[in-house]
Amino acid sequence: MNKFTSFTIVFVSLLAVGIGYLAANSKLETTQTAQKDLAADVTDADHTVGSSTARVTLVEYGDFQCPACALYYPLVEQVRKGYGDNLRLVFRQFPLRTNHKNAQPAAEASEAAALQGKFWEMHGLLYEHQTDWSDAADPKTFFTQYAASLALDLNKFSSDMASDAVKARIERDVVSGNSSGVNGTPSFYLNGKKIQSPKSPGEFKNLIDQAFNASS
Amino acid sequence: MPVPRWWVYLFVVISILGFLDATFLAVKHISGGVIPCTITAGCEKVTTSSYATVAGIPVALLGALYYFSIFFLSLVYLSSGKPILFKLFTHGSIIGVVASFWFVYVQLFILHALCIYCLFSAATSTALFILALLMVRVSRANQRSMDMS
C-alpha cells in the first residue's frame, strides 16, 4: 500500500470518528422551542394514578403508537412504583395522527376502557404490545382482544370507541397539549413544569427528588 | 487503467460521502437511545421502524461496512491497478443500488415517511452504480479495441 492510499484511509477513518462523535452528541431533530408550562391543571377528569394529595405530580402527554413512549413506559412504571402515594401520575392523550395512523384508534380504545374503569390496564397493554398493532390494517381486532382479556363488556367497548364523547375527550387533551407546548411525545411535566425527557430511571428519580425538595 | 483515472477518483469520493453518511446513521441508531416522536414525520419514524434492522443488526451499520469496502477496494485499485479489484468494486455497487431501491420503496410506500440522511445514501449508491456501469462499459470497449489491434 502506498503513502496516498494509507493516508486517505487514515483521513477517512478520522472523519468517520468525528462524524460519529457528532452523531452521538447531537439531536437529529433540533426543534428547540420555548419550554412552556402546563396550561391545564390536573382535574378529576384526568386519568390519574396515585394520591391526589401527592406532593409531586407527573403529567405525561403520550401517543400509544410512538416507539419512544413505549420505551419510556417501563421507566415511568418503575419510577411510579418507587414513590408510591407520594407521586401522582397523569396520562394525557397526544396522538400524532399525521405520523401514526393507529394512534387515534389506540387512544379511543384506552378511553373506551377508561369508561369501564380500566384505563391504566389498557394503557399498559397498548404499550407492551405496541409492535403487534402499530402497522396493523385493522388495529381494532387487537384492541378488542385486550378488552376481552380485561373482562370488559365488549359491546359497550366497541360502541364507546366509536362515540363522539370519546373523541371529544381525546381532543381536549390534544388542545391542552398544544397550549402547553407539546411538540413531540412523550412530553413530561413535573409539577406543571416541562422537563427534558430523562434518559434513565436514575435521572428521572433525580428530577422528581428535586421537585419534592422544591415543594416542601 | 482501462478507464479515465479521475472516474475512479470520483468513485472514491462518492463512496467516502456514503460511508460518512451511513456512519452518522449507524452511530445515531446505536447510541441514540430514545428518539422522541415529533409532530412532523421524518427520520425518527424511519430509523426506529422494524425495517431499520436486519436480524438485529442496524442496516445503517451494514451500509457503513458496504461503503467502506467499496471505498477501500476502489482506493487500492487506484494505486495497484489490479483488474480483480476493478471487478469487485464495480460489480459490488449493484448491492448498494438494490438495497437503496428497497429502502426508498419502504420509506415511500410502507412507512410514508422520508429520512433525508437515508435518501442521501440512496443518492450516493445510485451515483456509484451509474459510475460503475460507465466504467465497465468503457473498459469493455477498450478491451475489444485492444483485442482487434
Side-chain angles (χ1 to χ4, degrees), chain A residues 137-214:
Chain A
D138 183 17
K140 213 185 152 189
T141 51
F142 288 93
F143 304 153
T144 311
Q145 277 172 30
Y146 307 152
S149 75
L150 297 172
L152 301 183
D153 173 344
L154 295 183
N155 285 329
K156 181 171 160 45
F157 177 77
S158 182
S159 61
D160 283 341
M161 258 191 83
S163 75
D164 289 340
V166 155
K167 285 185 178 64
R169 173 70 187 75
I170 295 164
E171 206 47 43
R172 200 181 66 206
D173 281 355
V174 172
V175 168
S176 83
N178 282 330
S179 40
S180 305
V182 173
N183 55 0
T185 56
S187 283
F188 292 106
Y189 293 81
L190 207 49
N191 283 348
K193 294 258 178 256
K194 192 170 186 186
I195 56 166
Q196 279 295 324
S197 295
K199 293 212 165 39
S200 65
E203 205 179 307
F204 226 147
K205 197 179 167 302
N206 285 342
L207 286 168
I208 293 170
D209 285 342
Q210 275 170 29
F212 259 112
N213 295 332

Side-chain angles (χ1 to χ4, degrees), chain A residues 43 58 79 95 118 124 172 180 198:
Chain A
T43 66
L58 178 69
V79 168
K118 299 270 181 174
R172 200 181 66 206
S180 305

